[in-house]
Amino acid sequence: QVPNIIKALHKQLKEKSIKSRQGCFSLLTELASVLPGCLADHIPALIPGIVFSLADKSSSSNMRIDTLSFLHVLLCNHQPEVFHPHVKALLPSVVTCIGDPFYKITSEALLVTQQLVKVIRPLDKPYTFDAKPYVKDLFSGTLKRLKAADIDQEVKERAISCMGQIIYNLGDHLSTDLQPTLKIFLERLKNEITRLTTVKALTLIASSPLKIDLRPILGEGLPILASFLRKNQRALKLSTLNALDILVKNYSDSLKPAMIEAVLTELPVLITENDMHVSQVTIMFLTTLAKVYPSCISKISGSVLAEIFQLVHSPLLQGGALNAIIDFFQALVLTKTAAMGYPELMKQLTAPVYSSGSAGASLTLHKQAYHSIAKCVAALSSACPKEAPAAVNQFVQDVKSPKSSPAVQVLAFLFLAEVGRTTNLSAQRELRTVILEAFSSPSEEVKSAASYALGNVSVGNLKEYLPFMLKEIGSQPKRQYLLLHSLKEVISCSPADSLTPYVEDIWALLFKHCECTEEGTRNVVAECLGKLTLVNPAELLPRLRKQLSAGSPHARSTVVTAIKFTITDQPQPIDALLKGCIG
């Protein structure tokens, strides 16, 4: 259809009637958005119409705005090289629009210019186009708007972003113009209205592969950035942390210790469970610091670590923030900083669990906190491989000892699960017995943690553990529910190819239990079946469907529930096959 549409619109784009032209651009904008890349072959037919509408003296301002906004969508949704033959025709009229007295036209033109800069010199792929002849016009047009003080807020912001893009893509062509322009950025940083946009532009410039020389503005700029971390504006804090992170990664040799210390003092306050995302970005920045300036970290270790331990023990910690903390601990322990080595960190992480009282006490921390502590402790052990065997032994002893409180046992099992998932723990001869004994513990939490541990330890050693687990499920009706939960962990965490040899045995076992009278057990069986189907959907999904005609209503409901677990958040090979089953 596209060639026919273009053929019909081509003549209309040079019509006198503004209404017709606006209609054309509106249709083309939709086309370019809905089918990115569909106009690539028709660019030569469209450019004259675009230039005509931008340059036509009789065009209304709305006509120009519509033309620019179409051009922006077009540039965003097509490959740079399709525009290269037309830059010479397009650029002058766009630059003229930057100088237009009407602020809305200027604003749209700056957006287009920002995109054009990426087109004439795409840094992420090889290119043959020579951008040099166009740099001067682009730069001087944008600079006029960047310098102007008495213009609309939106124009100010877009001029900053556009100039940031020009320096990012073309900074090496600016020679003597570069430093005075960076000085303007410094002025814009000091202004409350433009500071956020400027921080984002500086982040972009600092990440440029052209290695733009920012030294002249770092001395004055870094303390300003540090002061933004105190401001009560969340977006500004987050953008500033990203900017500082890039600066430390790419300009470490230009930053003096005093500059870094000014930033460090602002960080502890930002780590709090009241705002997990700000905490996460702060901790990611601390990880960068620990890698680039290990010596600086000791200056704030006390205050930052106190806040981080508080987060680890918080019921709210999960996902991105937890992963950031894990990376931080691994980076920290490798800095070999005094008082922050492996033994000290281990002690502080686990202290609240070990001090939680006698064997009769219930769990003192929230359940989530035990998972977080276990993940952090396992991460420290993997960062210090020499220490890992001793840690595993210590936790196995904790589980065996009758003096251990439920809290200590839960943590020990969760730790063994984290380590066992990626390491073969067959050297721990008594581990299997210890886990199975815990299945008869009076504490529900300990039983559940033991079942989780058995599943994850099996992932690291399927050959030894999985046949044993399947045998136990068949022969131990009392422990069946916990063992099925272990099996669920194995199916969820094992790579498909390593599970393949066991699929038939697991499948047969699950169907033996899908008519169980206990609803809880049936639900776990259903989850195992659903997740197992994902291992080989082409073969297993039709077999699962067949069971829908089973005689027992329990069996049928288990299969329906199992289908629910084949539907996942991320695209999977099974998705195409499911279309035929559902609806």
Side-chain angles (χ1 to χ4, degrees):
Q1 294 293 331
V2 176
N4 297 339
I5 295 174
I6 303 297
K7 201 172 167 187
L9 295 184
H10 182 221
K11 289 194 186 77
Q12 311 258 354
L13 281 176
K14 286 199 169 176
E15 287 262 328
K16 275 275 177 279
S17 156
I18 288 178
K19 277 271 189 302
S20 310
R21 281 185 281 159
Q22 279 180 310
C24 294
F25 282 128
S26 161
L27 172 59
L28 288 166
T29 307
E30 288 300 322
L31 252 185
S33 312
V34 177
L35 282 175
C38 72
L39 300 176
D41 302 337
H42 308 289
I43 303 286
L46 296 173
I47 296 294
I50 294 173
V51 174
F52 173 72
S53 277
L54 289 180
D56 179 23
K57 289 284 173 278
S58 63
S59 283
S60 67
S61 44
N62 281 349
M63 181 69 250
R64 283 192 197 155
I65 292 167
D66 288 354
T67 310
L68 287 165
S69 83
F70 162 62
L71 183 52
H72 183 247
V73 171
L74 189 68
L75 291 167
C76 289
N77 288 316
H78 290 77
Q79 292 301 318
E81 44 279 9
V82 299
F83 299 105
H84 288 165
H86 311 290
V87 172
K88 196 174 178 184
L90 266 180
L91 201 89
S93 44
V94 175
V95 172
T96 312
C97 287
I98 298 180
D100 197 276
F102 185 39
Y103 75 95
K104 280 195 166 164
I105 292 180
T106 307
S107 174
E108 280 297 326
L110 284 164
L111 263 191
V112 171
T113 307
Q114 190 173 345
Q115 208 50 42
L116 256 180
V117 172
K118 297 183 200 172
V119 163
I120 64 174
R121 192 175 188 198
L123 292 179
D124 50 355
K125 50 166 96 181
Y127 56 92
T128 48
F129 185 74
D130 179 20
K132 210 165 182 178
Y134 308 104
V135 176
K136 191 170 173 290
D137 287 349
L138 282 170
F139 175 77
S140 51
T142 307
L143 183 66
K144 266 193 204 113
R145 289 306 186 184
L146 182 67
K147 280 180 169 169
D150 55 343
I151 48 172
D152 182 76
Q153 165 80 9
E154 191 179 77
V155 176
K156 273 184 191 167
E157 290 179 358
R158 287 188 176 172
I160 293 168
S161 305
C162 184
M163 188 55 89
Q165 195 74 53
I166 290 174
I167 297 176
Y168 174 89
N169 287 67
L170 305 164
D172 51 349
H173 288 326
L174 297 179
S175 60
T176 53
D177 287 326
L178 178 62
Q179 291 314 323
T181 311
L182 289 174
K183 286 277 190 281
I184 301 176
F185 275 122
L186 204 50
E187 291 311 308
R188 298 290 174 266
L189 256 194
K190 296 173 189 169
N191 179 330
E192 193 175 329
I193 292 174
T194 51
R195 63 190 179 193
L196 178 59
T197 313
T198 311
V199 170
K200 289 179 178 170
L202 286 172
T203 310
L204 180 69
I205 294 169
S207 64
S208 170
L210 303 175
K211 302 269 173 278
I212 306 296
D213 182 10
L214 291 176
R215 279 173 307 193
I217 63 164
L218 286 178
E220 201 181 332
L222 220 67
I224 299 176
L225 288 173
S227 73
F228 290 167
L229 297 176
R230 258 174 275 153
K231 300 281 185 256
N232 193 11
Q233 188 187 351
R234 189 167 180 269
L236 183 66
K237 279 182 196 167
L238 287 167
S239 297
T240 303
L241 286 165
N242 286 329
L244 289 165
D245 192 57
I246 288 283
L247 286 169
V248 167
K249 280 180 182 149
N250 294 350
Y251 294 86
S252 55
D253 45 357
S254 316
L255 302 176
K256 300 190 173 53
M259 294 182 187
I260 295 295
E261 279 161 36
V263 173
L264 281 176
T265 51
E266 308 292 344
L267 297 178
V269 199
L270 298 177
I271 302 171
T272 152
E273 65 176 8
N274 297 335
D275 192 330
M276 279 297 183
H277 187 55
V278 171
S279 301
Q280 176 183 336
V281 179
T282 308
I283 293 165
M284 286 158 77
F285 175 47
L286 279 164
T287 309
T288 303
L289 285 171
K291 289 175 181 165
V292 180
Y293 297 111
S295 55
C296 282
I297 285 290
S298 56
K299 303 253 187 338
I300 50 155
S301 59
S303 48
V304 158
L305 280 176
E307 297 299 339
I308 290 182
F309 288 129
Q310 196 130 24
L311 273 193
V312 174
H313 301 141
S314 151
L316 304 175
L317 182 67
Q318 53 174 338
L322 175 57
N323 292 335
I325 290 180
I326 290 171
D327 290 344
F328 173 67
F329 280 137
Q330 288 187 319
L332 184 63
V333 77
L334 296 176
T335 62
K336 309 265 191 290
T337 310
M340 283 186 279
Y342 178 84
E344 290 87 354
L345 291 173
M346 285 292 264
K347 194 173 167 203
Q348 283 181 278
L349 272 169
T350 55
V353 178
Y354 283 102
S355 62
S356 63
S358 62
S362 62
L363 299 194
T364 43
L365 295 168
H366 188 277
K367 198 169 144 196
Q368 178 59 39
Y370 291 91
H371 281 275
S372 304
I373 297 170
K375 280 184 158 59
C376 293
V377 171
L380 284 175
S381 301
S382 77
C384 307
K386 284 190 185 130
E387 311 280 356
V392 172
N393 285 331
Q394 163 67 46
F395 280 114
V396 171
Q397 294 314 313
D398 281 343
V399 173
K400 280 170 61 184
S401 158
K403 291 186 184 144
S404 294
S405 66
V408 169
Q409 291 183 312
V410 166
L411 176 64
F413 278 132
L414 295 179
F415 167 80
L416 292 166
E418 289 301 325
V419 175
R421 195 181 307 134
T422 50
T423 331
N424 184 335
L425 290 182
S426 52
Q428 294 291 336
R429 286 273 152 245
E430 48 192 0
L431 185 55
R432 200 154 67 181
T433 329
V434 169
I435 293 177
L436 286 178
E437 276 171 8
F439 277 14
S440 33
S441 157
S443 156
E444 286 301 323
E445 282 89 357
V446 171
K447 282 190 212 170
S448 162
S451 143
Y452 181 75
L454 178 62
N456 282 284
V457 169
S458 306
V459 174
N461 186 1
L462 283 176
K463 201 162 76 210
E464 194 177 312
Y465 272 85
L466 190 55
F468 161 75
M469 189 192 293
L470 297 176
K471 193 175 109 228
E472 288 285 306
I473 292 175
S475 62
Q476 299 282 346
K478 276 195 174 150
R479 295 177 177 167
Q480 199 176 61
Y481 180 70
L482 290 167
L483 287 162
L484 282 168
H485 268 287
S486 305
L487 180 61
K488 180 187 78 180
E489 288 300 321
V490 174
I491 297 171
S492 306
C493 302
S494 301
D497 48 351
S498 58
L499 265 183
T500 308
Y502 306 101
V503 166
E504 286 306 321
D505 296 347
I506 301 175
W507 189 264
L509 179 87
L510 290 172
F511 271 107
K512 249 190 214 150
H513 293 290
C514 71
E515 298 179 25
C516 175
T517 48
E518 285 284 324
E519 190 183 351
T521 306
R522 287 203 309 275
N523 284 341
V524 189
V525 168
E527 189 169 344
C528 290
L529 274 173
K531 290 183 169 169
L532 189 61
T533 305
L534 294 174
V535 173
N536 181 359
E539 192 183 316
L540 297 178
L541 188 61
R543 284 169 64 180
L544 195 58
R545 273 184 81 169
K546 245 198 201 131
Q547 297 293 332
L548 281 172
S549 49
S552 142
H554 280 339
R556 291 201 301 274
S557 78
T558 306
V559 172
V560 172
T561 312
I563 294 285
K564 180 174 88 179
F565 291 102
T566 61
I567 302 166
T568 52
D569 299 342
Q570 303 304 322
Q572 292 267 13
I574 195 169
D575 296 347
L577 302 167
L578 278 175
K579 278 183 187 158
C581 304
I582 297 175

